Amino acid sequence: MGVGLSEILKGKQSIALGGHIRPDGDCVGSSMGLYLYLTEQYPQIETDIYLEEIPEAYRLIQKTEEARNCIPEGKQYDLFICLDCGDEKRLGFSAPLFQNAKQTFCIDHHVSNDAFADINYIVPDASSTSELVFGLLDKEKIGKPEAEALYMGIAHDTGVFQYSCTSPETMEAAAELLRKGIDGNDIIEKTFYEKTYIQNQILGRALLESILILDKRCIVSAVSKKEMDFYGAKPSDLEGIVSQMKLTQGTETALFMYELETQNYKVSLRSKGKVDVSIIAQYFGGGGHTRAAGFTMKGSFHDVINNVSIQIARQLDQEEIQV
Ligand code: AMP
Ligand code: MN
Ligand code: MN
């Protein structure tokens, strides 16, 4: 990137940070990592962070209680930094602060990101936004709290250093962060693997009810609003279900959906590589990465399967023709 963080911050008196709706590990990790760094290194700048409710497990990161989930009326910041957010709509409640800010800066790794801010640092090949934030910081000045946040973000978006987006640079960033004295294993255990009883129950239910389509190359499952209410599950309790489905031998893609409200589904797609799911998600108005993408769709469970499976089949057939 041509511009460094210190240049962007020059002359700024107030900064707001924001991430995407229903924040995941990388969103919380990257935005909290940058927040903790800025408040420590630039105490003269008024820095605020805006995030939707942070899932309980991620609250082991320091100062997550300082994240605000509503915006002050009429406030104008000198700079708005949006993190891990592929488009302006995904900012959710903090979008008016973005629109109002004197300058905007986007740090992201979604291939679907169309550079919607004034200054854009978008690297689709990067493992995570947390890795990109790490790259922007002065390594000597990174403290333990921000190292914990960034490590969590990198670990989450790489499926604990396993997905193909994990590069030598990712491992080097993680190593640097470990050298700050953090307990990496504990962060991974408590924020990635550990599940509440409810989370495990609903995971079990989704797996039990899953079906194989497209000649067993796609695994599909859905959780209705009624089921979520029955188990007392929130959307964040369903994270990880689609990744578990993808592990099914012989499948190429996994499609998981849950009902946000009646007949309105949040759809998650995962691919082992043959299908570019970001193309499908963008086609339906969403976005993401080649192997992990999402969108929302109105209609019934069957409408979603019918519409999405056509797009998956198209790419799988194409792939067969090329072979
Ligand atoms: P998910 O399936 O929600 O875990 O999301 C997979 C990836 O796609 C993440 O990087 C998300 O940020 C991205 N994504 C999910 N839903 C959307 C959407 N509606 N618009 C843009 N990107 C999305
Ligand atoms: Mn994210
Ligand atoms: Mn991310």
Side-chain angles (χ1 to χ4, degrees):
M1 186 170 84
V3 195
L5 185 65
S6 54
E7 269 130 279
I8 295 174
L9 299 179
K10 213 167 266 169
K12 304 289 190 291
Q13 282 170 0
S14 62
I15 302 174
L17 306 185
H20 63 75
I21 55 170
R22 296 185 291 276
D24 57 14
D26 184 33
C27 176
V28 175
S30 59
S31 54
M32 282 306 304
L34 184 56
Y35 175 73
L36 290 160
Y37 182 88
L38 292 178
T39 47
E40 186 64 30
Q41 299 300 325
Y42 296 85
Q44 73 283 11
I45 303 179
E46 174 198 357
T47 304
D48 297 324
I49 180 163
Y50 294 88
L51 288 174
E52 278 187 7
E53 191 186 337
I54 297 174
E56 190 53 40
Y58 307 156
R59 291 191 169 268
L60 68 75
I61 300 303
Q62 281 187 33
K63 300 198 176 164
T64 43
E65 71 282 358
E66 292 182 12
R68 304 169 175 201
N69 50 26
C70 61
I71 58 173
E73 219 171 293
K75 173 98 184 165
Q76 188 188 41
Y77 286 93
D78 291 341
L79 179 69
F80 188 102
I81 307 179
C82 49
L83 298 111
D84 202 37
C85 197
D87 59 72
E88 197 182 315
K89 231 178 34 225
R90 295 257 298 161
L91 277 172
F93 79 100
S94 68
L97 290 177
F98 174 91
Q99 288 148 7
N100 237 341
K102 289 186 192 152
Q103 193 177 45
T104 57
F105 176 32
C106 178
I107 309 171
D108 188 33
H109 67 129
H110 289 94
V111 66
S112 52
N113 193 315
D114 65 358
F116 62 97
D118 299 328
I119 310 166
N120 296 281
Y121 180 40
I122 301 156
V123 185
D125 286 339
S127 70
S128 53
T129 303
S130 299
E131 185 182 331
L132 294 177
V133 169
F134 171 81
L136 288 173
L137 307 183
D138 187 338
K139 308 296 166 278
E140 272 88 70
K141 293 181 179 161
I142 296 177
K144 203 172 158 187
E146 51 267 38
E148 288 172 340
L150 297 175
Y151 190 85
M152 177 179 83
I154 296 172
H156 276 243
D157 263 20
T158 56
V160 189
F161 310 105
Q162 187 255 321
Y163 301 154
S164 60
C165 60
T166 312
S167 68
E169 290 73 31
T170 313
M171 301 307 271
E172 275 156 12
E176 270 307 301
L177 294 169
L178 282 176
R179 285 195 192 97
K180 299 289 174 181
I182 65 171
D183 188 342
N185 295 342
D186 189 61
I187 293 168
I188 290 169
E189 179 66 28
K190 294 203 173 116
T191 68
F192 190 86
Y193 289 114
E194 195 177 274
K195 302 275 177 208
T196 63
Y197 183 64
I198 288 173
Q199 288 165 350
N200 267 334
Q201 276 204 310
I202 202 137
L203 165 69
R205 169 102 190 203
L207 296 177
L208 197 64
E209 308 251 310
S210 66
I211 54 168
L212 293 169
I213 61 167
L214 302 179
D215 207 15
K216 301 184 183 166
R217 287 184 298 171
C218 178
I219 182 166
V220 180
S221 192
V223 171
S224 68
K225 185 92 190 63
K226 213 167 125 190
E227 285 165 331
M228 286 176 74
D229 291 345
F230 176 81
Y231 288 103
K234 296 193 290 281
S236 59
D237 291 323
L238 309 180
E239 230 178 87
I241 291 180
V242 70
S243 309
Q244 186 62 42
M245 287 166 58
K246 195 187 92 166
L247 295 176
T248 309
Q249 197 176 49
T251 60
E252 264 308 320
T253 49
L255 192 177
F256 174 68
M257 65 190 104
Y258 65 86
E259 228 176 353
L260 285 166
E261 62 220 24
T262 309
Q263 301 267 302
N264 187 17
Y265 282 92
K266 157 79 182 98
V267 183
S268 286
L269 292 172
R270 295 293 183 271
S271 164
K272 286 183 183 158
K274 288 187 179 151
V275 174
D276 182 341
V277 290
S278 78
I279 294 174
I280 300 173
Q282 285 179 76
Y283 178 78
F284 291 113
H289 313 282
T290 53
R291 293 182 184 221
F295 57 95
T296 54
M297 188 186 269
K298 290 206 166 73
S300 71
F301 158 72
H302 288 104
D303 292 333
V304 177
I305 297 188
N306 290 340
N307 283 295
V308 182
S309 63
I310 291 170
Q311 301 302 321
I312 297 172
R314 199 165 272 172
Q315 284 199 37
L316 284 172
D317 292 347
Q318 202 65 35
E319 202 259 341
E320 249 154 42
I321 292 163
Q322 280 166 5
V323 168

